[in-house]
Amino acid sequence: MSEVRTIEINESVFATNEKEADAIRSMLSDRGIFFVNVMSSPGSGKTTFLTALINMLKNEIKIAEMDVDIKSDLDAKKVADATGVRCLQIHNGGLCHIDADMTSRAIAQFGVDDVELLILENIGNLVCPAEFDTGAHKNIMLFSIPEGDDKPLKYPLMYEVSDVVIITKLDTKEFFDFDMDLAKEHIRELNPNAIIFEVSAKTGEGMEEVADYFRAHINR
Amino acid sequence: MSEVRTIEINESVFATNEKEADAIRSMLSDRGIFFVNVMSSPGSGKTTFLTALINMLKNEIKIAEMDVDIKSDLDAKKVADATGVRCLQIHNGGLCHIDADMTSRAIAQFGVDDVELLILENIGNLVCPAEFDTGAHKNIMLFSIPEGDDKPLKYPLMYEVSDVVIITKLDTKEFFDFDMDLAKEHIRELNPNAIIFEVSAKTGEGMEEVADYFRAHINR
């Protein structure tokens, strides 16, 4: 088992989230670090997806992950054990989201020396995290096939703020009544610029395209 | 297509949520109405489950449903079309939850004359709705197999406040690495009194036991 540090970060008292987020982005850009905020519904496969992705990239890119959870340390431990990369567990005091100030304090405690790709695995929630800019360069959301093709219509803001939408659990497609074209149409109506990937982290299908997206964003 | 009314209910200004919730419970008890608050992660099958359940019970019990969504009218329309029971769509102004005052205003506008079972389909979110007593007699949560057996550990409050946990999408069990005994152990650690059902709304498996639970709570 890897040793994973856990820190407690409670809600920010600042109302200036956008300003704080911009400061994080600019600080990380200056240091050549690509920072992504990964959001989704609970159980859509964030941890499995990130584990697979990190294992594909870790020999070429220096990666670190911060994992937000209400209480457990499950995800950070899982990712650290399965990939060997440095992970931080953030406990956010029972909140439904993480904001820029919380992210900033987590980054300060975690330390990002010798990091090229910094991943924030946000709390599983399609509503609240969409409202808070964390300072990430890109918002990435996962949308799993078992959730149903109508979900973009029900949680529109999350789809509007996401630069990348990754449709996950592609290996289960035949077991669910999921219309891929309709799902993509819903995503594009809300966010015409969203980059859409279809993957199965389990079989590896579609993962190479996602890995290429990350490779293209690393400054060398 | 059934006609479904939609109302806009914005956040309560009252800090007295518990008091308001008790008032709703007592008002509905006096009128012989059993009120349940159905919560879950997005895409765990609330609408499909409730449609199946209502169709099993509607000839014996007078049912009405209120459906909370950020924006769309999909769920209320789906349930109304598939069951013929009276449904109300509640738009909650983009919030991540519904509180007792919002519920009270929705009930006042909806009207509950000639209702024996009042169902609130809450917004898909495992964090925020758990924090707000809506005045329901019972909190019922759905936990779908594709989400993974570790979810109780990650969203503990939702499991602690739920009187009934319904494990859904049982027909997909063989396609996922889901340990049913472990899932139940996690639920019981958080909430030893929770009643647990296992169902597939698609095949009907386990649904009769759930219907019996509702029958037993209707006052005659």
Side-chain angles (χ1 to χ4, degrees), chain B residues 143 145 165-168 178 180 184 187 196-199:
Chain B
F143 168 20
I145 283 173
V165 179
I166 301 179
I167 299 173
T168 60
F178 185 94
M180 185 63 82
K184 288 183 176 175
I187 296 168
I196 304 175
F197 293 104
E198 297 172 36
V199 309

Side-chain angles (χ1 to χ4, degrees), chain B residues 49 53 56 166-167 170 197-201 203-212:
Chain B
F49 165 78
L53 181 72
M56 292 170 77
I166 301 179
I167 299 173
L170 199 56
F197 293 104
E198 297 172 36
V199 309
S200 165
T203 67
E205 189 178 352
M207 288 297 293
E208 201 53 54
E209 289 81 349
V210 180
D212 281 343

Side-chain angles (χ1 to χ4, degrees), chain A residues 114-129:
Chain A
D114 211 32
V115 170
E116 294 170 305
L117 169 60
L118 179 63
I119 298 170
L120 176 69
E121 184 179 339
N122 213 312
I123 197 153
N125 182 333
L126 288 184
V127 187
C128 318

Side-chain angles (χ1 to χ4, degrees), chain B residues 34-143:
Chain B
F34 180 50
F35 178 33
V36 297
N37 172 26
V38 181
M39 299 179 284
S40 80
S41 173
S44 62
K46 283 190 297 301
T47 307
T48 306
F49 165 78
L50 287 171
T51 299
L53 181 72
I54 291 170
N55 278 332
M56 292 170 77
L57 294 173
K58 68 185 178 187
N59 295 330
E60 331 160 28
I61 298 170
K62 293 167 192 161
I63 305 172
E65 178 174 306
M66 303 188 296
D67 217 294
V68 193
D69 264 307
I70 290 174
K71 211 173 162 182
S72 79
D73 300 338
L74 292 174
D75 290 350
K77 283 210 175 98
K78 260 193 214 165
V79 175
D81 285 344
T83 67
V85 306
R86 201 159 60 92
C87 294
L88 176 72
Q89 181 70 54
I90 303 172
H91 285 167
N92 71 347
L95 285 176
C96 51
H97 66 275
I98 179 166
D99 66 15
D101 178 62
M102 293 159 80
T103 306
S104 171
R105 284 183 281 155
I107 290 174
Q109 289 196 44
F110 191 32
V112 285
D113 289 344
D114 212 31
V115 170
E116 293 172 307
L117 169 59
L118 179 64
I119 299 170
L120 176 69
E121 184 178 339
N122 213 311
I123 198 153
N125 183 334
L126 288 183
V127 187
C128 318
E131 294 167 18
F132 293 88
D133 188 342
T134 57
H137 295 106
K138 298 289 178 190
N139 283 327
I140 296 178
M141 76 160 291
L142 270 55
F143 168 20

